[in-house]
Amino acid sequence: MAKVYREKDVDFSVLQGKKIAVVGYGSQGRAHALNLKDSGLNVYVGLRPGGKTWNQASEDGFKPVTVAEAVKDADLVAILVPDMTQAELYEKEVAPNLKPGAAVLFAHGFNVHYGQINAAKENDVVLIAPKSPGKLVRQTYTEGRGVPCLLAVHQDATGKAFDVALAYAHGLGGTRAAVLTTSFAEETETDLFGEQAVLCGGVTELVAAGYDTLVAAGYQPEAAYFECLHELKLIVDLIYEGGFARMHEFVSETAKYGDLTRGPRVVDGHAREAMKKVLQEIQSGEFAREWINENKTGRKNYNALLEKDLKHPVEVVGKELRSHMSWLAGNQSACQTGAAQAQDQAACATKQAQQQKEKETASVR
Ligand code: NDP
Ligand code: MG
């Protein structure tokens, strides 16, 4: 079993009184900056002047400065801008201003693992990857909880890299849940594989293929939508709460028998072979090269694929059906502006309370 680090393992003094630069104030950056500040640390936010999030950082009580200024004299620099902008920003604004002995921290290992960022050997290079979107990193912290984090050390120039990374995770609230050690390679490769084969790519293709199969056989698109997409959440919630066993407890015997005998025929040997190939492309760096190149050449292929994905009939039918369910997250603005009907507003309130409860319990499961 992997060792789990918790609050008692932390030497917080390695960061107390030190200058911490948080570069980027988006999903992760905002949550990190606020949590670290509330944990008593000395946080500077580095951004490009005139950018969208500059004002947000000011409203939250920070005095944002340029990236170069934030990095100067910093003891730790957290790189929390989008992955595809990190390498250039690092080369132009971070590296020339970074003091020897400072730690550079990432929330995802992509650029370090695939050699896009090579820090000077006088610097520590560490990873703290919270296993959740920034919004929950902040919310759980304010509730006295935290989200689990992965920790990795790529380069230990000072002999303190691990302690510094663990103290950072502590400042985020991560040690209230669990901090697990990994490597940059494992974090990057498993993260990419998960999102490609299962979480984003795999699930959407499965939904679309199921929907297409039913509609092509003459069933109503609305019925196909409910069976293949809408109900997915109910099943995923059960699996999230208690694995396959809990899902099996709640579905019918007929559903279970169909699952056990038909599921392996759909996600069959061919699908497993395809997963292996996808993993190999991640491990060899082929996927990374392709994605970096796509970004350097104007994202033409990516944009075309995205447009096609969003035009799939399940999206069109879904949009219409969901517009009548004002309590769904995508319709929250309708809930909030009171545009919903009275009975819908009651449903909105119930749903929001439910979602709040789900988020609260998510971190302790
Ligand atoms: P975001 O897309 O939310 O980051 C946006 C921020 O980056 C904004 O403040 C933006 O400023 C700033 N920014 C963008 N380009 C530049 C630039 N050239 N110079 C200065 N600032 C810039 O990123 P995320 O928070 O999603 O991701 C940050 C890191 O965290 C990534 O490594 C990601 O893989 C990792 N991560 C993300 C998770 C998530 O849930 N989102 C989960 C776990 C890890 P402006 O207002 O000027 O545009
Ligand atoms: Mg897809």
Side-chain angles (χ1 to χ4, degrees):
M1 287 292 275
K3 175 159 169 49
V4 176
Y5 293 86
R6 300 193 199 275
E7 292 180 290
K8 63 176 174 31
D9 304 308
V10 177
D11 174 8
F12 206 40
S13 71
V14 295
L15 285 185
Q16 282 166 324
K18 300 287 169 70
K19 175 177 174 182
I20 295 172
V22 170
V23 176
Y25 204 74
S27 174
Q28 292 292 327
R30 178 169 190 255
H32 290 218
L34 288 170
N35 289 8
L36 296 170
K37 186 174 83 165
D38 289 350
S39 293
L41 299 178
N42 191 11
V43 178
Y44 289 73
V45 174
L47 285 170
R48 47 185 173 191
K52 286 194 307 291
T53 51
W54 183 283
N55 286 345
Q56 171 83 65
S58 304
E59 279 165 25
D60 289 344
F62 291 103
K63 290 195 179 73
V65 291
T66 62
V67 175
E69 220 171 306
V71 171
K72 262 177 215 153
D73 303 322
D75 299 287
L76 184 149
V77 177
I79 310 288
L80 300 171
V81 298
D83 293 308
M84 287 302 123
T85 63
Q86 290 182 4
E88 195 185 333
L89 187 71
Y90 192 86
E91 193 190 320
K92 292 197 175 141
E93 300 205 46
V94 178
N97 296 296
L98 194 62
K99 75 175 181 190
V104 187
L105 181 141
F106 295 86
H108 177 40
F110 190 99
N111 285 294
V112 171
H113 179 54
Y114 292 118
Q116 301 302 297
I117 294 178
N118 294 291
K121 59 180 187 314
E122 296 78 21
N123 295 108
D124 292 341
V125 178
V126 299
L127 172 93
I128 290 296
K131 292 288 95 187
S132 105
K135 197 165 173 241
L136 265 191
V137 173
R138 179 60 184 158
Q139 188 189 316
T140 52
Y141 180 91
T142 58
E143 294 162 355
R145 298 174 185 176
V147 302
C149 295
L150 295 180
L151 180 159
V153 175
H154 174 73
Q155 193 164 290
D156 186 7
T158 64
K160 288 267 172 208
F162 180 90
D163 294 344
V164 165
L166 186 59
Y168 186 96
H170 182 66
L172 282 189
T175 48
R176 296 168 181 174
V179 178
L180 288 153
T181 52
T182 182
S183 63
F184 272 66
E186 184 176 72
E187 187 275 336
T188 306
E189 292 172 5
T190 56
D191 187 76
L192 292 174
F193 178 79
E195 67 200 16
Q196 291 176 19
V198 182
L199 305 174
C200 308
V203 164
T204 55
E205 279 309 298
L206 195 62
V207 167
Y211 173 90
D212 289 342
T213 304
L214 287 178
V215 173
Y219 297 100
Q220 297 181 81
E222 291 79 4
Y225 173 85
F226 282 119
E227 289 305 329
C228 298
L229 192 150
H230 183 86
E231 286 198 38
L232 186 63
K233 173 164 167 44
L234 314 176
I235 296 300
V236 167
D237 282 351
L238 292 169
I239 296 175
Y240 175 76
E241 284 164 8
F244 297 164
R246 184 163 168 83
M247 188 268 280
H248 283 154
E249 273 173 43
F250 282 82
V251 301
S252 68
E253 288 291 299
T254 311
K256 257 192 281 190
Y257 182 71
D259 157 356
L260 300 170
T261 57
R262 268 56 179 179
R265 281 171 49 191
V266 175
V267 182
D268 60 1
H270 170 261
R272 284 171 186 263
E273 278 308 309
M275 281 190 180
K276 270 193 215 158
K277 179 84 174 57
V278 164
L279 181 58
Q280 280 159 9
E281 288 172 10
I282 291 167
Q283 290 168 331
S284 70
E286 188 182 335
F287 170 78
R289 280 191 295 278
E290 181 185 316
W291 177 222
I292 291 164
N293 188 47
E294 186 67 25
N295 277 277
K296 284 188 179 151
T297 53
R299 294 188 165 191
K300 282 194 213 78
N301 186 38
Y302 168 76
N303 287 334
L305 289 170
L306 194 59
E307 203 184 321
K308 187 167 157 246
D309 207 46
L310 299 178
K311 278 191 183 147
H312 189 279
V314 76
E315 281 291 279
V316 181
V317 172
K319 205 169 173 193
E320 160 60 18
L321 289 171
R322 288 191 299 269
S323 72
H324 303 289
M325 295 183 261
S326 52
W327 55 89
L328 294 178
N331 295 329
Q332 290 284 297
S333 53
C335 273
Q336 279 152 7
T337 55
Q341 300 291 324
Q343 78 263 31
D344 286 351
Q345 281 180 0
C348 276
T350 314
K351 184 69 192 174
Q352 279 169 346
Q354 226 174 6
Q355 282 173 343
Q356 178 70 17
K357 185 88 195 141
E358 279 167 16
K359 282 176 187 161
E360 280 170 14
T361 48
S363 65
V364 291
R365 278 188 180 125

